[in-house]
Amino acid sequence: MKAIQITATQSMQVAEIEKPQCGAGEVLLRVQYVGFCGSDLNTWRGQNPMVKMPVVPGHEIGAVIDEVGAGVPEHLKKGMAVTVNPYTNCGVCPACRNRRYNACEHNETLGVQRWGAMCEYVALPWQKIIPIGNITVKHAALIEPMSVGFHAVSRAQVVDTDVVMVIGCGMVGVGAVVRSVMRGAKVIACDMDDEKLSIVSGMGAEYTINSARENVHERIQEITQGRGCDVVIEAVGAPATYQMAVSEVGFTGRVVCIGYAKQDVLFTTKLFVQKELDIRGSRNALPEDFEGVIRYLERNNPPYDILISDCVRPEGATAAMEQWAAAPGKVFRILVDFT
């Protein structure tokens, strides 16, 4: 079957690999659309320390069930449109014992520690298969990145009296904005790209700040009447945005970190103590986060055509990745079309 492989830094190819067999307890999926994630971009750049090369990337999936193995529950049927929970969990580590399976100490994510789904077929345990209701298979490839943003909002324990600042308005940031709005919070979106800010404004962000040309601190003080934000969600992964999060959160506020910074971050640690901050990591997503995104997409009509920056055939994946690497701030999601 046809698959995309990242074989080395800035090296990608379309390869023929063996089609998987559907074993007991497994579901064989006919993959139709797969999104390129930021982790895939970092793998291609040679900046992903967790990846095992060569790798088939891809864990943002829209697919159709092609075959069902023995022992699979009857609600999963051939021809059903689905997405995938792409994380593994060991069941015995501290995170798993605390039922926070998304943060399993031994997690292996599709397309990172193990081969992913950017290929024509993939066989997976039935427990990882998520029906998508009336969402199209193409749009199902947006569910996983949005669920990561939904999970961050849960980690922040956002309520309707909160002012929430979301730093970074890519697909994960979009998920954080949407979920915060759904919970009734006042949302401030911060990014360096006006187009992204315009999109999240249309999805419920009450205020937007372009950090490339506005004084972020002055704007936050103005919006919050000098109190700072109750919650800041960092969805970029850069030293400057980590420092911004700690600076702009108010006293006794919550900072939730999603992005991986590629360099060490220098903090004024007295702010941790003076503000008595809750600083929390947020990793991956739980099944209920996927379910929340699916309900949102079923009930609303987000601007799919804008959220999907490009849709390419496998042979065009390398060119699409090169364009993304050249202008990362301009891309929401690139989908690879295997139909």
Side-chain angles (χ1 to χ4, degrees):
M1 66 174 181
K2 184 181 297 185
I4 292 172
Q5 286 184 322
I6 301 175
T7 56
T9 299
Q10 297 188 22
S11 179
M12 184 184 296
Q13 66 180 14
V14 179
E16 284 293 325
I17 65 173
E18 187 175 353
K19 179 181 175 181
Q21 300 298 308
C22 185
E26 291 186 330
V27 173
L28 181 67
L29 300 182
R30 174 70 171 93
V31 177
Q32 296 194 358
Y33 295 92
V34 188
F36 271 124
C37 173
S39 64
D40 300 324
L41 177 60
N42 287 330
T43 297
W44 187 80
R45 285 171 161 170
Q47 297 175 344
N48 188 345
M50 296 181 291
V51 75
K52 299 176 182 177
M53 300 281 271
V55 68
V56 174
H59 57 255
E60 303 173 359
I61 302 163
V64 173
I65 294 177
D66 189 73
E67 187 178 341
V68 175
V72 173
E74 292 184 358
H75 75 275
L76 295 174
K77 302 180 183 299
K78 183 174 181 177
M80 178 180 285
V82 299
T83 190
V84 170
N85 181 332
Y87 327 117
T88 65
N89 58 279
C90 69
V92 298
C93 73
C96 288
R97 289 201 301 269
N98 289 328
R99 302 182 65 82
R100 290 166 65 175
Y101 306 110
N102 59 295
C104 174
E105 182 178 353
H106 307 291
N107 167 68
E108 293 186 349
T109 299
L110 285 174
V112 185
Q113 294 93 343
R114 57 192 175 122
W115 279 22
M118 205 159 278
C119 50
E120 292 182 285
Y121 292 90
V122 61
L124 296 167
W126 71 263
Q127 294 91 339
K128 299 299 181 182
I129 308 303
I130 303 173
I132 60 173
N134 61 17
I135 300 169
T136 69
V137 179
K138 182 177 182 179
H139 297 156
L142 302 179
I143 293 171
E144 191 274 342
M146 288 189 71
S147 74
V148 175
F150 271 47
H151 183 68
V153 173
S154 294
R155 290 284 293 140
Q157 297 175 297
V158 170
V159 296
D160 57 2
T161 56
D162 283 333
V163 176
V164 178
M165 179 185 187
V166 177
I167 305 174
C169 297
M171 278 304 305
V172 172
V174 166
V177 168
V178 165
R179 190 57 157 172
S180 298
V181 171
M182 291 172 68
R183 291 194 174 194
K186 179 184 293 185
V187 178
I188 305 167
C190 181
D191 201 279
M192 300 177 69
D193 185 80
D194 283 333
E195 183 179 0
K196 288 183 177 180
L197 291 172
S198 175
I199 291 169
V200 295
S201 178
M203 299 176 79
E206 191 168 342
Y207 300 94
T208 59
I209 302 173
N210 187 314
S211 58
R213 63 169 187 270
E214 297 182 77
N215 185 307
V216 174
H217 182 69
E218 289 181 0
R219 289 278 284 126
I220 293 296
Q221 291 297 297
E222 175 190 347
I223 294 166
T224 65
Q225 297 180 324
R227 293 188 294 270
C229 301
D230 300 292
V231 173
V232 178
I233 297 174
E234 198 286 336
V236 176
T241 50
Y242 265 78
Q243 292 162 347
M244 181 190 295
V246 172
S247 295
E248 303 310 328
V249 71
F251 277 63
T252 70
R254 289 98 72 197
V255 175
V256 175
C257 307
I258 309 173
Y260 284 94
K262 308 302 185 297
Q263 304 88 29
D264 291 340
V265 183
L266 180 64
F267 285 111
T268 305
T269 54
K270 70 176 184 180
L271 295 179
F272 297 5
V273 178
Q274 286 180 336
K275 293 184 177 182
E276 198 176 55
L277 299 179
D278 290 338
I279 299 178
R280 307 171 183 179
S282 183
R283 183 183 181 192
N284 300 331
L286 287 164
E288 52 263 38
D289 301 310
F290 284 84
E291 293 166 9
V293 173
I294 290 170
R295 285 196 299 271
Y296 167 76
L297 295 178
E298 285 183 320
R299 296 171 183 173
N300 296 273
N301 187 30
Y304 289 114
D305 290 344
I306 298 175
L307 296 175
I308 300 171
S309 305
D310 200 0
C311 189
V312 300
R313 299 293 294 173
E315 293 75 15
T318 297
M321 185 66 84
E322 290 171 346
Q323 291 171 5
W324 188 14
K330 292 295 183 182
V331 171
F332 274 101
R333 270 303 175 268
I334 297 170
L335 303 187
V336 178
D337 178 359
F338 282 91
T339 60

